Amino acid sequence: MKNDYKKYGYYIIDDFLPSDIANDLEKSYSKTNDWDIIEQFRENHYKHVHKTDSPYLPNEDEYYLAKFRRSSTLEMGIDKVFNKFFKPKMNEITNNNLSEFDVRCYKLDSGDFYRTHIDSYAGIIGCVYYLNKNWCWDWGGILNIATEDDSLIPIFPKFNRLVVHDMKEFRFPHFINPVTNYAKNSRYTIVSFNK
């Protein structure tokens, strides 16, 4: 686990939480109506914050854009589970003693997306945990990580999957392609940026 994380810059754990806890979290996401729609437009981010040398990623004259939903209500109730399961596992995988955790509860619906970005400004370790059930590849919402050889690594948003990634050493440019209008479910995640 630690060796793969150190070699590749990320590590995937399927069936991360006990099934009853994962199911309870998914139910809380599907029941809440407290979702703020966030639309981001950043004019110069590809000149500095998200700048890459790849000819296959956005260049300096493009705009960073994102559209997603965030629930502050869910974020207030996630601490107990996050402290018990997520924090120890991230410290174990990364061989760190992380002390700051910025935890967010997100939802993507039809048309929601994130353009290519790099999260190294937000912390040193990141994690994405998927809570959506019965997802299909062609519904969109796929996390795509760009590699140095101009390839993409697609990570499927599988229920109860945790992805831990190194945001400082690897500085992965990544994006989430738009969720399609025929997706039958919302794409639910817990995301954290950690120092």
Side-chain angles (χ1 to χ4, degrees), residues 139-191:
W139 290 0
I142 307 298
L143 171 60
N144 292 275
I145 298 174
T147 64
E148 290 181 2
D149 66 354
D150 294 320
S151 298
L152 286 177
I153 300 167
I155 298 179
F156 186 75
K158 181 180 176 184
F159 179 71
N160 203 7
R161 169 176 278 176
L162 177 70
V163 181
V164 179
H165 52 101
D166 185 329
M167 299 189 312
K168 280 294 185 193
E169 293 296 319
F170 284 80
R171 286 192 82 244
F172 291 126
H174 56 285
F175 64 92
I176 299 170
N177 57 341
V179 173
T180 64
N181 61 359
Y182 50 84
K184 292 183 177 181
N185 304 314
S186 297
R187 179 189 184 273
Y188 298 136
T189 55
I190 296 171
V191 172

Side-chain angles (χ1 to χ4, degrees), residues 12-23 25-26 86 128-133 157-163 188:
I12 298 173
I13 302 172
D14 286 332
D15 302 318
F16 174 63
L17 291 177
S19 60
D20 59 328
I21 294 172
N23 284 317
L25 284 172
E26 189 274 336
F86 290 78
V128 179
Y129 175 73
Y130 298 105
L131 282 160
N132 43 278
K133 292 186 174 181
K158 181 180 176 184
F159 179 71
N160 203 7
R161 169 176 278 176
L162 177 70
V163 181
Y188 298 136

Side-chain angles (χ1 to χ4, degrees):
M1 178 171 59
K2 290 179 187 177
N3 291 339
D4 282 350
Y5 175 80
K6 194 169 184 174
K7 181 177 180 180
Y8 301 111
Y10 69 96
Y11 190 75
I12 298 173
I13 302 172
D14 286 332
D15 302 318
F16 174 63
L17 291 177
S19 60
D20 59 328
I21 294 172
N23 284 317
D24 286 347
L25 284 172
E26 189 274 336
K27 284 177 191 168
S28 68
Y29 268 65
S30 60
K31 287 181 181 177
T32 190
N33 292 320
D34 174 35
W35 294 104
D36 296 321
I37 297 175
I38 299 171
E39 295 186 73
Q40 296 178 337
F41 173 90
R42 306 286 188 264
E43 193 168 344
N44 294 308
H45 270 36
Y46 292 118
K47 289 183 180 177
H48 54 91
V49 177
H50 304 317
K51 183 177 179 161
T52 71
D53 295 325
S54 173
Y56 305 109
L57 296 174
N59 59 44
E60 291 183 7
D61 66 347
E62 294 187 63
Y63 304 125
Y64 170 73
L65 303 166
K67 182 183 174 205
F68 56 95
R69 292 130 211 281
R70 184 174 178 181
S71 173
S72 56
T73 302
L74 287 172
E75 289 169 10
M76 288 187 286
I78 203 81
D79 283 352
K80 185 176 179 183
V81 170
F82 196 85
N83 291 339
K84 182 175 181 179
F85 295 100
F86 290 78
K87 285 182 181 182
K89 184 54 73 175
M90 283 190 285
N91 282 326
E92 177 189 351
I93 292 170
T94 65
N95 204 26
N96 276 297
N97 189 18
L98 302 168
S99 59
E100 295 178 37
F101 298 86
D102 179 2
V103 182
R104 303 172 184 194
C105 296
Y106 289 153
K107 174 173 89 160
L108 296 183
D109 282 332
S110 176
D112 292 349
F113 66 94
Y114 294 83
R115 281 205 75 187
T116 302
H117 61 284
I118 300 168
D119 289 323
S120 58
Y121 69 92
I124 59 171
I125 307 298
C127 86
V128 179
Y129 175 73
Y130 298 105
L131 282 160
N132 43 278
K133 292 186 174 181
N134 305 315
W135 201 258
C136 293
W137 278 104
D138 72 343
W139 290 0
I142 307 298
L143 171 60
N144 292 275
I145 298 174
T147 64
E148 290 181 2
D149 66 354
D150 294 320
S151 298
L152 286 177
I153 300 167
I155 298 179
F156 186 75
K158 181 180 176 184
F159 179 71
N160 203 7
R161 169 176 278 176
L162 177 70
V163 181
V164 179
H165 52 101
D166 185 329
M167 299 189 312
K168 280 294 185 193
E169 293 296 319
F170 284 80
R171 286 192 82 244
F172 291 126
H174 56 285
F175 64 92
I176 299 170
N177 57 341
V179 173
T180 64
N181 61 359
Y182 50 84
K184 292 183 177 181
N185 304 314
S186 297
R187 179 189 184 273
Y188 298 136
T189 55
I190 296 171
V191 172
S192 71
F193 305 103
N194 318 294
K195 298 176 184 175

